[in-house]
């Protein structure tokens, strides 16, 4: 498997999108083959600043910039993390979800969120 990844960031937030791709399928495409036959199930996450006008009463400076809220003299900051997955659990369209597949997906989501949170932790 190969992982295709695209990232983007600016002052409004950051986005990471990735998709596992079969090596043989990618090889066909890289040699001029039709990419329509490559199965892509993109997943990813977005990180957005968590400060909003309603969060701090809409106060603003004279230049229109938002004022960061303070608690006990400390500036409050944070972010909003949105995670999205496309996962093929079973190749059979009429198949029922099993407890094991739900647990696997739950563990994947939980581990991914924990890794993102750990990466964002500033010491």
């Amino acid at each position: 498997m190969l992982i295709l990844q695209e990232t983007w960031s600016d002052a409004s937030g950051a986005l990471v999108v990735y998709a596992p791709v079969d090596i043989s399928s990618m090889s066909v495409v890289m040699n001029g083959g039709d990419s329509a036959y490559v199965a892509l199930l993109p997943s990813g996450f977005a990180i957005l600043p968590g400060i909003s006008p309603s969060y701090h009463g809409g106060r603003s400076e004279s230049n229109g910039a938002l004022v960061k809220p303070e608690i006990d003299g400390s500036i409050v900051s944070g972010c909003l993390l949105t995670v999205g997955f496309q996962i093929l659990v079973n190749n059979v369209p009429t198949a029922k979800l099993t407890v094991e597949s739900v647990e696997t997906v739950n563990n994947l989501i939980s581990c991914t969120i924990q890794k993102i949170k750990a990466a964002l932790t500033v010491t």
Side-chain angles (χ1 to χ4, degrees), residues 117-123:
K117 287 172 64 175
L120 293 175
T121 302
V122 179
T123 58

Side-chain angles (χ1 to χ4, degrees), residues 47-61:
I47 303 170
L48 306 172
I51 306 299
S52 69
S54 62
Y55 182 73
H56 53 77
R59 295 177 291 134
S60 65
E61 296 176 355

Side-chain angles (χ1 to χ4, degrees), residues 24-99:
S24 60
S25 297
M26 265 321 269
S27 180
V28 169
V29 171
M30 292 180 75
N31 289 315
D34 188 357
S35 63
Y37 297 104
V38 176
L40 285 179
L41 292 173
S43 297
F45 58 93
I47 303 170
L48 306 172
I51 306 299
S52 69
S54 62
Y55 182 73
H56 53 77
R59 295 177 291 134
S60 65
E61 296 176 355
S62 59
N63 65 1
L66 297 176
V67 175
K68 292 186 178 181
E70 293 187 12
I71 297 176
D72 297 330
S74 300
I75 293 177
V76 177
S77 63
C79 65
L80 173 66
L81 173 64
T82 303
V83 178
F85 290 99
Q86 290 191 58
I87 302 169
L88 182 63
V89 177
N90 195 316
N91 287 331
V92 180
T94 58
K96 302 273 190 230
L97 285 176
T98 64
V99 172

